[in-house]
Amino acid sequence: MENDTQIPDFASRRALLQGLGLGAAALAGPKLAQFALGSTPARAAEGKPVKLAVVAQQMAAQSDQRAWAGFQQWLKTTGLDKTWQVTQTDAKGDPGALVSQIEDAITAKSDAIMVLFGTLTAAHSALADLERSKIPFFSLDSGWQAPALADITSNNWVMGGAFGQYMVERLLADGKQKANICAIIANFHHGTRKRGKVMKAILGENEWISLKAERVIQYQGFFETTQNAVNDWLTRFGDELDAIWCPWDEPAMAAAEVIQAHKLEHKVFVVGCDGHPTALERMRNPDYPLVATCAQAFELWGAYGGWMVNEIVGKGRSAKEVVPVPTVDFPAPLLVKGVNIPPAGKPTYDATDLYYIYRDRAVAGMKG
Amino acid sequence: MSTSDTEVPQALADAEGARVANFLACYGTVLAAVAIFIAFSLASNRFVSAANLGNILVQISVLMVVSSGLTVAVASGEFDLSVGEVAGLSGVLAAGMMVWAKLPVALAILAPVACGTAIGLVNGFLVTRLRIPSLIATLAMGPIALGANYAYDGGDSIYATFPESFYYIATGRLFGIIPVPIVIALVVVAVFYVLLNRTRIGRAIVATGANIQAARLSGIAVDRCRVLALALSAFGAAMGGIMLTARLGTGQPGAGEPYLLDSLTAVFLGMTAFKPGRATVQGTLVGVVIIGMLDNGLNLLGAPFYLQNEVRGVVMIAAVSLAVLRGEIRFF
């Protein structure tokens, strides 16, 4: 078995986190696939041309765009863009359309199908059709469901713990013995739902933090809904509020905007998740209320998805060998404003996780 | 040659021209559907396969049911802008009743359909008793239904394994061949067709929609027709919502919302066919089929995802503008 199939241990995860030139490789283009995926253009070209159908749940989302960009970069870097036939559809957030588009890809006799950020638990009839069709099926952050060979994602339990616990520590650092927070809840996606559950578990262990209010949002119109909810909370609780927990960066930015409009940026902070470039760009401003996020490697997921399709479908390698466990979790470093936000232009997945900074200090000290 | 000699052929030509124009007015949209079918058949060798045609019919089955109900409302001269939310509500109710309340499948289907129909009756009450225009009454009812939806499921999807008999609605095959959703959709379409065209109450609904004053003077109980039409519209939406839940395999709070615009598109496209200017079930069926073929065909061709929206909009404008220019359709 080749070692390039997985990131098997802690050290190599760290290696990926720290980049070791991954950022430069991404910027340099041709090295991305070679370094991150162990797939050189020459090796990639050994495979047969693949007819791949990519079905996106919501191309308007930054995560979909970034994963798609990563996939395209991988395709170009490997030279497979000249031979592969790739079609892309967008369900525009409609779960019924997602099912139909998967069915269309089956009818079109695609060699492989890859779903981006779908809700596979809401694609029952399409999954049944996929099972019958035997077409190799891959997904990105869609919550693994059979018959998917792999779902590429981050570990949402871990991320929820990372930025949720950071919120607690930040409140402690601010000298709080009693704290009030509000939360935006998004249950429509498996990842954001899991992060919300972790947040509730963290609060259960920290009873000095009171969850004053929460607002469940749907994807449609989430930015405005979040702004309105936060506006109402700030009107209702004023400066009694200490923090706002958001399930991902885009509502976190919406919350931050409202906090700034109320001139409460030095009183109320926000935590989010995803590490979107826009959010990080704003976090470089010392007065911005969004203080922590986890940087998901969406571009790498797209590239890794392409690599897996090529290994299994293009080169005919055993799926079990390429994907030993069906969920492929990529690391997502915890980024904190003023501590480890990467400089502008550097890929967010190339940043060093907050806790690895502690570790590096310790290791450096031990080595002398 | 005398004047009368030249006038006769001219009159014949005019009559022939009128016949052609009339034929095109009635069947232009159908011909457009045929043209789309032929174009996709030539462009993609997979389009005309039996599997794909079945695929299209399955994909449009939910829209067919929701749009047929909406057609009845539009035929009565009313709009129902709550169909998407009613579909969403009935879908999560069915899921919740099976998963949380452990109700038998039949009851978990009937209760949400009854609930949806009741919403339609309330719409009818608002329109006929409180004299709120249906556009506004149903526009307001949409968020109320959505609120009830969120109150029931907390804004969360209802994930669980449903009884196999429920999945049969979406994935079953009658006699092992015909997909069940197609059968359900065709039955619903047939029922609505017969209702509007072959029953007294149906004709009364159509008469109410054509000219409410004349219908009233003719002794038709127009308010009863409007209430019934809105109730049937909500009934179709509720049925569609349940079919959608079976298709998705989960109760999705927002799953019904896209069906409002899709069903309105289908009904308006349908109003350009058969009896121009009138909402008919058969016309709506043509509209639904056009939408289904466009979505499927463009997917098969690997067209950029944004093209579906563009093409659907262009087809809608083309069909409706021709009818409007000929004075066959007048909105508002």
Side-chain angles (χ1 to χ4, degrees), chain B residues 16-36:
Chain B
E16 187 59 27
R19 265 200 299 274
V20 171
N22 190 42
F23 179 84
L24 285 176
C26 293
Y27 299 103
T29 308
V30 180
L31 291 176
V34 174
I36 291 169

Side-chain angles (χ1 to χ4, degrees), chain B residues 258-311:
Chain B
Y259 282 87
L260 170 61
L261 283 182
D262 283 354
S263 56
L264 279 175
T265 306
V267 173
F268 288 154
L269 273 175
M271 286 173 74
T272 65
F274 300 115
K275 297 173 182 174
R278 275 179 51 188
T280 61
V281 175
Q282 62 273 32
T284 298
L285 188 59
V286 173
V288 171
V289 168
I290 287 177
I291 291 171
M293 285 195 300
L294 287 176
D295 285 353
N296 174 268
L298 291 171
N299 282 344
L300 289 187
L301 291 178
F305 64 90
Y306 48 81
L307 210 62
Q308 282 183 359
N309 300 51
E310 309 279 357
V311 171

Side-chain angles (χ1 to χ4, degrees), chain A residues 228-249:
Chain A
N228 292 342
V230 174
N231 209 21
D232 294 346
W233 290 338
L234 292 178
T235 305
R236 191 169 145 203
F237 304 115
D239 60 5
E240 286 175 23
L241 202 60
D242 298 299
I244 293 172
W245 183 96
C246 290
W248 84 101
D249 281 346

